[in-house]
Amino acid sequence: MAKLNYVEWFNAQKHNVTDANLNWPTALLVEQWTAPDFPFVKVNVDGALFSVQGRYGLGLIARSAAGMVLGARILSREGSLQPHIVQAIGIKEALSWSKANGWSDVVVKTDCLRRSANKVAHALARSSLSEADRIFSMNSLPFVIASLILDDLV
């Protein structure tokens, strides 16, 4: 998580923010996670590439319209794939997982446009390098992931 925070901080420093920019409401757009409309379930998906290790990972988190966590998953696989292929595999996994859980009204979101709205799935995907395939319930989420979820709800 420290490396993830450093990378996000480092990337944020690349933006040239001056006092003049602060007058514009679009100067620093940070999109928050938004709940789906009732009765939909939102599944956020992200992929992570670990080219040195020849692996990729996926993070998935499903939440209800009330923001309640229905489940989370970490998947780790061998292979050196292109980012768009990993994202497509993540979407396929999200749809299969949704079907297996009986969630019929599902919205699947990736971080193609803004990572800030998908930070929980991103953190799960990054942790796939050190974690085997895992499924989490709301009560078994790692503390770091639970705190990111709380940040989304504030």
Side-chain angles (χ1 to χ4, degrees):
M1 284 309 297
K3 186 175 180 181
L4 170 68
N5 287 334
Y6 171 75
V7 169
E8 288 182 352
W9 174 85
F10 182 79
N11 288 333
Q13 302 312 305
K14 292 179 184 177
H15 298 285
N16 186 10
V17 178
T18 63
D19 290 339
N21 293 114
L22 296 177
N23 293 330
W24 294 92
T26 58
L28 292 174
L29 289 177
V30 177
E31 186 177 316
Q32 280 288 116
W33 178 85
T34 56
D37 292 333
F38 182 80
F40 285 88
V41 169
K42 182 184 271 188
V43 180
N44 287 90
V45 179
D46 195 23
L49 303 175
F50 307 106
S51 54
V52 171
Q53 294 83 2
R55 300 191 69 77
Y56 66 92
L58 298 167
L60 298 90
I61 181 142
R63 292 187 258 187
S64 70
M68 185 168 229
V69 174
L70 303 174
R73 286 186 73 186
I74 295 173
L75 299 162
S76 180
R77 301 286 183 262
E78 287 187 21
S80 296
L81 303 175
Q82 295 296 315
H84 65 281
I85 301 295
V86 173
Q87 287 288 79
I89 292 170
I91 292 167
K92 179 231 168 246
E93 289 292 337
L95 294 172
S96 296
W97 187 42
S98 298
K99 183 178 178 184
N101 281 288
W103 304 324
S104 57
D105 297 324
V106 177
V107 175
V108 177
K109 291 281 187 168
T110 66
D111 72 346
C112 292
L113 296 177
R114 294 195 178 276
R115 181 173 293 155
S116 59
N118 210 26
K119 61 187 172 189
V120 176
H122 180 70
L124 288 165
R126 297 295 303 164
S127 70
S128 69
L129 183 59
S130 60
E131 298 253 7
D133 291 2
R134 287 190 67 183
I135 297 176
F136 300 99
S137 69
M138 183 174 74
N139 299 325
S140 67
L141 288 169
F143 175 77
V144 173
I145 301 300
S147 66
L148 289 173
I149 292 166
L150 287 175
D151 285 348
D152 281 345
L153 299 176
V154 175

